[in-house]
Amino acid sequence: QVQLVESGGGLVQAGGSLRLSCAASGRTFSSYAMGWFRQAPGKEREFVAAISWSGVRKHHADPVKGRFTISRDNAKNTVYLQMNSLKPEDTAVYYCAATRGDSSNWPSPNAYDYWGQGTQVTVSS
């Protein structure tokens, strides 16, 4: 069982930065790959980024590539999403999630076993 709690969301102007954190409970955190998704009003949940259990392998979705960076600290049971050069279209609720699935399935929400409650990110123009 893994429980996830996101933090770090807020209101920021376009071009600004935020760092989201996702704190996990449970001794098995380091055995899970972790992902970040986002969901804007009226839209489907969208893959943002994922990272392997070791932190070596990372995958970022094209809309955020070069602007967002996923990382993790297994000693702190925490995964991060550094978001730079934010745009109004990045406005959404951001969720972290945990999976033991294959990396080929990382972009699919169905691959994830555990989800956090989400944190709101709003980017003003």
Side-chain angles (χ1 to χ4, degrees), residues 18-110:
L18 284 174
R19 188 176 81 155
L20 305 184
S21 299
C22 173
S25 65
R27 293 173 293 177
T28 60
F29 170 75
S30 61
S31 68
Y32 285 85
M34 299 296 297
W36 283 98
F37 287 77
R38 65 187 182 185
Q39 190 166 18
K43 295 188 176 181
E44 293 186 352
R45 194 163 293 193
E46 176 188 26
F47 172 74
V48 175
I51 188 168
S52 63
W53 67 269
S54 65
V56 171
R57 299 184 65 183
K58 301 179 183 181
H59 178 39
H60 296 82
D62 286 344
V64 307
K65 203 168 289 184
R67 300 188 298 123
F68 292 9
T69 302
I70 190 170
S71 63
R72 68 189 294 162
D73 185 339
N74 286 342
K76 296 182 178 180
N77 279 13
T78 303
V79 62
Y80 304 97
L81 185 69
Q82 178 66 45
M83 305 187 297
N84 299 328
S85 303
L86 282 160
K87 305 175 181 180
E89 52 263 44
D90 295 319
T91 295
V93 177
Y94 283 71
Y95 299 89
C96 68
T99 179
R100 283 181 167 160
D102 188 80
S103 60
S104 61
N105 296 321
W106 284 355
S108 171
N110 294 333

